[in-house]
Amino acid sequence: MNTVLITGASSGIGKATALYFQQRGWRVIATMRSPEKCPDLAQLPHCQLLALDVTNLDSVQRAITTALDTGEPIDVLVNNAGYGLVGAFEAVTPEQIQRQFDTNVFGLMTVTRALLPHFRQRRQGVVVNISSVGGQMTFPLYSLYHATKWAVEGFSESLQYELQPWNIRVKIIEPGPIKTDFYQRSADVQRSPDYTRFENRILLNIERTSQNGAPPELVAQTIYRASTDRSWQLRYPADPLARSLLWLRKLIPDGLFTALIRRQLISHNQSSELTG
Ligand SMILES: NC(=O)c1ccc[n+]([C@@H]2O[C@H](COP(=O)([O-])OP(=O)(O)OC[C@H]3O[C@@H](n4cnc5c(N)ncnc54)[C@H](OP(=O)(O)O)[C@@H]3O)[C@@H](O)[C@H]2O)c1
């Protein structure tokens, strides 16, 4: 029986992924900050819940040690835990910036470092990093979130070179808008009186986008494919909108792409009218 360890499995993409693998006969180690919040997952056969906060080194080491103490190997790591900091760059606090990077970047690296010796010892393993279309393009008010996802993309792309000789595959999953807690409960939204009109416009568009998001099961399906296809393919757009956006991003020049984003998300008028 193969084993997958997933971070941030309490909701959204992480939880859908836990269910998807479990239904396909995998042993699932579903890690999350508060396992008591997920009694439904805990009841499933071959599904083990472990407390793991990616920003806490002790918590990561404890969870990985517990997972490996069973003697069963881990085949796939899904680095999924993450959230979005939304707001004008100058309005967010240094603590908000730190937490965004601690979770989305350094947390992902900490969990990866904790499992790599195990993968190298076995000379096999798959590291699946959940990025975003926002790891290849940007939208307004998400500058810090994008900075983390672009970091995940660069980190993953380089990491693949040194891990390939050990037969360890690195995969990047790029979802478009997905209907999860990402846009509400999990979002860290910082408003500023200096950007009110701009924020109102963008937050309304984000709200609309989130309502039309694809189901997290689509991303789970892509994660499963990336984990099991035994290829060295690096990037996996996760849903039809992600595929179209990433295709467009590659096809057209930067200036035209950012003009399209401005037109779609900010204003048909001059964006200078949106100050204050
Ligand atoms: N939804 C989208 O449109 C979208 C698009 C592209 C990429 N993504 C990425 O997909 C991933 C999953 O997001 P989602 O859409 O499924 O949102 P979600 O439902 O809000 O899930 C986020 C998960 O991350 C966990 N988490 C946050 N901080 C953590 C920490 N310090 N340690 C451990 N777990 C932590 C949350 O745990 P708690 O329950 O304890 O808060 C939750 O389980 C994220 O990396 C996100 O950036 C999402």
Side-chain angles (χ1 to χ4, degrees), residues 30-258:
T31 74
M32 59 195 75
R33 289 189 284 199
S34 313
E36 68 280 2
K37 286 192 196 156
C38 264
D40 51 338
L41 277 188
Q43 282 168 5
L44 296 174
H46 310 300
C47 190
Q48 179 184 15
L49 265 58
L50 289 180
L52 190 159
D53 179 336
V54 299
T55 65
N56 180 320
L57 181 60
D58 282 349
S59 151
V60 172
Q61 285 173 339
R62 247 194 327 271
I64 301 295
T65 304
T66 307
L68 292 176
D69 271 354
T70 60
E72 299 284 330
I74 295 172
D75 300 281
V76 176
L77 162 65
V78 180
N79 281 312
N80 164 74
Y83 72 94
L85 171 55
V86 189
F89 170 62
E90 61 171 319
V92 301
T93 65
E95 291 73 26
Q96 285 174 303
I97 298 174
Q98 189 66 49
R99 189 170 82 90
Q100 177 72 125
F101 275 83
D102 281 345
T103 308
N104 292 12
V105 182
F106 302 127
L108 172 148
M109 290 178 179
T110 305
V111 180
T112 305
R113 279 164 77 90
L115 258 186
L116 278 185
H118 175 69
F119 283 172
R120 275 195 304 106
Q121 191 190 11
R122 299 186 69 221
R123 287 190 164 267
Q124 70 175 73
V126 187
V127 178
V128 182
N129 291 334
I130 310 306
S131 175
S132 164
V133 290
Q136 303 249 25
M137 63 188 72
T138 63
F139 307 108
L141 293 185
Y142 275 95
S143 61
L144 279 318
Y145 177 70
H146 288 303
T148 66
K149 292 301 186 185
W150 284 53
V152 167
E153 296 260 344
F155 167 68
S156 309
E157 187 175 304
S158 175
L159 189 67
Q160 65 168 342
Y161 300 123
E162 72 207 45
L163 295 183
Q164 183 163 23
W166 297 91
N167 194 32
I168 299 168
R169 293 160 213 271
V170 178
K171 307 285 181 168
I172 302 173
I173 309 295
E174 297 167 327
I178 306 297
K179 213 168 184 166
T180 66
D181 290 351
F182 181 85
Y183 296 97
Q184 279 88 31
R185 176 183 71 90
S186 302
D188 183 3
V189 182
Q190 181 65 56
R191 306 217 34 164
S192 155
D194 296 327
Y195 289 86
T196 305
R197 292 171 70 186
F198 189 85
E199 285 168 354
N200 287 346
R201 174 71 55 90
I202 301 303
L203 293 175
L204 186 67
N205 277 319
I206 292 173
E207 171 76 26
R208 285 197 193 120
T209 305
S210 70
Q211 281 165 4
N212 295 321
E217 289 72 24
L218 265 191
V219 188
Q221 212 176 327
T222 307
I223 293 171
Y224 187 81
R225 182 160 59 86
S227 304
T228 55
D229 67 6
R230 304 187 65 76
S231 80
W232 294 95
Q233 181 181 334
L234 178 64
R235 290 190 167 83
Y236 294 73
D239 51 275
L241 183 55
R243 268 188 286 281
S244 309
L245 283 170
L246 289 162
W247 178 78
L248 204 62
R249 183 71 180 104
K250 274 211 182 87
L251 199 71
I252 65 176
D254 278 0
L256 191 54
F257 190 85
T258 49

